[in-house]
Amino acid sequence: NLTLVLSLNNIKSIEPGAFAGIHLAELALRSAFESSMMQTSLQGLAGLQVSRLIVGVFNDDDREQDFEKGLLDGLCQVQMEEFVLICLGDFEDDTDTLFDCVGNVSTIRLVDLGLEQISQVPVGSKVKQLECKKCGFDDVPAMKLSLFKELRVLRITKNRSLKTFEQKFEGLSNLEVIDLSENRLTFSRCCSRQFRNCPNLKHLNLSFNSYIRLTGDFNNVENLLYLDLQHTTLFGPGSYPVFLSLQRLIYLDISHTKTEVKFQCTFCGLNS
């Protein structure tokens, strides 16, 4: 259960095989490498088994690191359960190597990255939990994310540029949790249109966004148990029974949504 923190060093290289056969609970490598030495050094991790691997920089570090093609190639020979990539700058137009060597990791967290689109998803990816926090999306990248067929939990939060939700999630039969809170989303026709063939979706968090129009069409997400819309301006609730099909819902938060209840059947259908 050893945790090894090598952050804030000035590592010039890691000898090949230096970590072979080593088991760690966590290895932290933030702002650990000389400029331009990250890609070469990561190749020295071959043979490592680690529960959580953290790679990146600190946002106040002068050693900026952009994502270049092949940056994470050295991780193909590392066995890990969780991978955290944090505080990288610009991504090249071709970012298709981002998931090449971490596509079979159970949990991936992408934090404070200059990532404007989701990279190519490897066929047969085993990712079950994916978090994209403080990235550069302007539209919810639902089409690419729908290629993570084993995905159970998805969190896309605190993306200041994320304002639209035009794409659709489709065919994610294992998906149970989606957290899209603390963005700047504005969209209408929530929520069947955005989720196709996602029958096990139970938790949907759209709180702290800009403006959402609820039409009452929840047919594709009728198994929802938890719906959080707090601090998002809503249109629909209070005027007609938009929650009628959510028979199984046990938690609903529409506080601070500028909802004015004018209709006596506002909460009809919420029998649970």
Side-chain angles (χ1 to χ4, degrees):
N1 294 322
L2 178 66
T3 293
L4 179 59
V5 180
L6 295 177
S7 301
L8 293 172
N9 276 291
N10 203 25
I11 298 172
K12 296 178 173 61
S13 66
I14 297 177
E15 289 291 326
F19 283 86
I22 292 179
H23 299 250
L24 295 175
E26 181 177 304
L27 174 60
L29 294 167
R30 294 185 66 182
S31 297
F33 305 107
E34 281 193 354
S35 296
S36 74
M37 296 306 298
M38 180 183 289
Q39 181 172 351
T40 303
S41 297
L42 290 178
Q43 293 175 357
L45 299 181
L48 172 66
Q49 296 183 38
V50 59
S51 296
R52 180 188 296 116
L53 175 63
I54 304 172
V55 174
V57 299
F58 289 98
N59 55 17
D60 59 350
D61 196 309
D62 293 335
R63 290 174 288 183
E64 293 185 3
Q65 175 70 55
D66 293 338
F67 188 94
E68 302 170 351
K69 187 174 183 178
L71 180 67
L72 305 179
D73 284 358
L75 302 184
C76 283
Q77 304 301 319
V78 176
Q79 295 183 39
M80 51 186 155
E81 298 174 14
E82 179 179 347
F83 175 62
V84 182
L85 187 63
I86 186 166
C87 289
L88 294 196
D90 294 335
F91 277 60
E92 292 181 350
D93 291 338
D94 178 10
T95 61
D96 284 350
T97 63
L98 174 58
F99 295 113
D100 281 5
C101 291
V102 295
N104 289 323
V105 178
S106 179
T107 301
I108 296 178
R109 298 184 62 230
L110 306 175
V111 182
D112 204 357
L113 305 182
L115 182 66
E116 297 180 354
Q117 59 183 7
I118 291 292
S119 303
Q120 188 65 37
V121 178
V123 176
S125 168
K126 302 299 183 184
V127 177
K128 292 181 174 59
Q129 298 189 47
L130 177 62
E131 178 180 2
C132 303
K133 180 179 179 180
K134 295 184 179 180
C135 292
F137 308 133
D138 54 19
D139 186 18
V140 178
M143 290 179 61
K144 279 286 188 68
L145 291 171
S146 294
L147 298 174
F148 287 103
K149 295 302 182 184
E150 299 294 322
L151 202 60
R152 295 182 181 177
V153 178
L154 173 64
R155 304 186 190 279
I156 303 177
T157 61
K158 297 187 177 181
N159 294 267
R160 292 184 177 181
S161 60
L162 186 55
K163 299 179 180 180
T164 60
F165 195 169
E166 297 294 333
Q167 301 178 32
K168 303 175 183 64
F169 289 99
E170 188 161 1
L172 293 175
S173 59
N174 296 309
L175 188 63
E176 297 182 2
V177 177
I178 288 189
D179 183 351
L180 296 173
S181 63
E182 297 185 77
N183 299 301
R184 295 183 177 180
L185 287 172
T186 295
F187 64 99
S188 59
R189 297 173 62 193
C190 178
C191 289
S192 272
R193 177 181 174 275
Q194 290 78 21
F195 304 98
R196 302 278 182 86
N197 299 318
C198 302
N200 289 310
L201 186 61
K202 296 179 175 64
H203 296 252
L204 178 58
N205 189 346
L206 295 167
S207 63
F208 293 91
N209 277 289
S210 296
Y211 178 95
I212 297 176
R213 179 185 292 268
L214 301 180
T215 62
D217 183 4
F218 288 94
N219 292 333
N220 287 339
V221 291
E222 59 185 9
N223 290 322
L224 276 180
L225 301 176
Y226 176 106
L227 179 59
D228 192 347
L229 297 161
Q230 63 177 299
H231 290 274
T232 299
T233 300
L234 299 179
F235 181 85
S239 301
Y240 51 95
V242 296
F243 306 114
L244 198 59
S245 61
L246 295 177
Q247 302 282 330
R248 300 183 182 181
L249 201 70
I250 58 175
Y251 177 91
L252 172 66
D253 193 337
I254 56 171
S255 60
H256 304 282
T257 58
K258 300 182 180 178
T259 296
E260 183 178 352
V261 178
K262 302 177 181 179
F263 182 63
Q264 66 178 1
C265 205
T266 295
F267 300 107
C268 286
L270 299 179
N271 300 322
S272 296

